[in-house]
Amino acid sequence: RAKDEGRNQFRFHMAELDRQLRERMMLAADLHLAIERQEFELYYQPQVELESGRIVGLEALIRWNHPTRGLLLPTVFIPIAETTGSILPIGKWAIEQACRQIRLWRDQGVVPPLVAVNISAAQFKGESDLDRIVANSLARFGVAPCALELELTESVLMETTQKHKGSLERLRQLGVRLAIDDFGTGYSSMSYLRRFPFDRIKIDKSFIDDVATQNESIKIVRAIVTLAEGLGMSTIAEGVESADQVDKLRELGCDQIQGFFFSNPRPAGEIAGLLAQKLEGGHSAAGYPPPND
Ligand code: C2E
Ligand code: MG
Ligand code: MG
Ligand code: MG
């Protein structure tokens, strides 16, 4: 009996694995065609300076309008794209699209703040000419390098060889800004600060989640803020969802916040209206958004 049950569980498990594998393979095949079918879209999430309450940046977050599955989030398809190589054209598309959108806003009389684009490790590893891709996109849309920031995670930096370090340095010389994403979650966050010239540290959401209530998180965030100040970098807290977190982060001297508390990521068309709004006295001017995109 126990044996039968075990066998059934095993069969169920295999069927589930098989389903997941086929799902991945189908998505991988669809991904291949998604760029030319224009199914990707960048959403933008505001980054707010605590001192002024103003939006000082927008993080570009990719979405996939899948023809049958609806809106897919990057956590579903970026890991697949990273293993199939699709991440190279997708990453290039994201950089170009961000530049195209900055141009479009300007042409509409909207002055966009800094726009930050995420760079994946596989993307950086696959092309040592990231600096050329970025420079070409900026030139094509007449965008100043200082209007663009690249967000790199530690997994990007971990795999960075001398060849890629050259690419990062050329990006810096070009005047593009660099941020370290999900800071504090990697193996040796500190060593990257010494080796690469960042403008901004994004403090990982896991430290921000209980920064209003837990002593350890408070101490860690305080230490990161002090460290950043000493190195001449600014700090932004990721995943800020409550007024209590905003108050605490202000007290700790964190420079900026990003999270559902102010706004979730929005389609480009909704950004012009948002830019006029300010964070007032710790309260969200944009209002608490629906939990999903
Ligand atoms: P990330 O760069 O750390 O982006 C922050 C993620 O946190 C986003 O998820 C955002 O929607 C979510 N978020 C923002 N505020 C809150 C909050 O208050 N609470 C909670 N629970 N979540 C919040 P998203 O858009 O699903 O993106 C997930 C990850 O996918 C990103 O993490 C980034 O690593 C990657 N990604 C997104 N767009 C791109 C892209 O164009 N290229 C590459 N290579 N990766 C991308
Ligand atoms: Mg990011
Ligand atoms: Mg992040
Ligand atoms: Mg994160």
Side-chain angles (χ1 to χ4, degrees):
R1 235 176 204 261
K3 209 170 165 187
D4 278 357
E5 202 166 289
R7 195 176 292 143
N8 282 339
Q9 268 176 15
F10 177 75
R11 281 209 191 105
F12 177 78
H13 185 63
M14 289 312 281
E16 174 60 17
L17 272 183
D18 189 51
R19 194 192 61 76
Q20 284 177 14
L21 189 64
R22 271 187 297 152
E23 164 119 351
R24 275 181 75 92
M25 283 170 68
M26 283 189 308
L27 279 180
D30 291 348
L31 263 177
H32 201 64
L33 297 164
I35 290 188
E36 55 179 293
R37 291 183 178 165
Q38 303 190 349
E39 290 168 357
F40 291 118
E41 182 176 355
L42 291 184
Y43 276 38
Y44 297 87
Q45 186 177 36
Q47 301 174 325
V48 179
E49 185 177 61
L50 284 173
E51 203 177 286
S52 65
R54 290 183 197 287
I55 297 174
V56 293
L58 296 167
E59 179 174 18
L61 295 159
I62 197 167
R63 302 291 182 257
W64 181 9
N65 296 298
H66 191 280
T68 58
R69 290 156 201 254
L71 191 75
L72 297 182
L73 293 174
T75 41
V76 172
F77 63 87
I78 290 287
I80 300 174
E82 284 176 333
T83 61
T84 62
S86 289
I87 192 65
L88 294 184
I90 293 174
K92 184 164 180 249
W93 176 86
I95 292 165
E96 282 172 355
Q97 183 58 26
C99 292
R100 180 182 290 114
Q101 187 60 59
I102 293 172
R103 173 83 270 148
L104 214 65
W105 276 321
R106 295 235 172 97
D107 290 346
Q108 295 165 354
V110 176
V111 184
L114 183 81
V115 173
V117 176
N118 290 283
I119 303 294
S120 99
Q123 181 184 354
F124 198 59
K125 215 174 159 190
E127 53 199 5
S128 54
D129 62 340
L130 183 69
D131 57 304
R132 274 230 319 274
I133 289 174
V134 171
N136 287 344
S137 297
L138 291 169
R140 181 170 161 206
F141 297 104
V143 171
C146 62
L148 192 71
E149 183 170 85
L150 302 182
E151 292 192 4
L152 313 170
T153 59
E154 287 168 64
S155 58
V156 177
L157 301 168
M158 213 162 64
E159 296 172 21
T160 299
T161 59
Q162 205 52 40
K163 159 175 102 174
H164 296 104
K165 194 162 184 255
S167 178
L168 271 188
E169 273 155 9
R170 285 193 297 279
L171 280 164
R172 261 320 281 268
Q173 276 161 20
L174 195 69
V176 169
R177 292 173 40 115
L178 301 178
I180 183 161
D181 205 352
D182 305 338
F183 185 80
T185 55
Y187 288 109
S188 52
S189 312
M190 298 289 179
S191 72
Y192 303 115
L193 293 182
R194 195 158 57 94
R195 281 166 47 212
F196 302 99
F198 293 101
D199 297 283
R200 181 150 77 154
I201 293 178
K202 303 196 73 176
I203 307 172
D204 192 67
K205 181 177 184 300
S206 58
F207 301 113
I208 304 306
D209 282 340
D210 48 14
V211 75
T213 51
Q214 205 217 25
N215 250 315
E216 282 66 34
S217 291
I218 293 172
K219 284 177 187 161
I220 289 169
V221 171
R222 182 180 285 130
I224 295 174
V225 169
T226 305
L227 178 70
E229 266 169 14
L231 294 168
M233 302 172 187
S234 60
T235 43
I236 178 162
E238 291 190 310
V240 176
E241 296 178 350
S242 75
D244 286 349
Q245 288 171 311
V246 174
D247 291 343
K248 194 66 194 181
L249 288 163
R250 238 195 213 113
E251 183 194 316
L252 292 172
C254 183
D255 299 306
Q256 301 151 7
I257 57 155
Q258 176 181 345
F260 295 167
F261 180 70
F262 186 81
S263 171
N264 59 347
R266 307 277 180 93
E270 295 178 24
I271 293 301
L274 259 184
L275 287 179
Q277 300 180 345
K278 271 176 76 174
L279 181 79
E280 307 279 5
H283 289 282
S284 169
Y288 196 89
N292 224 322
D293 298 311

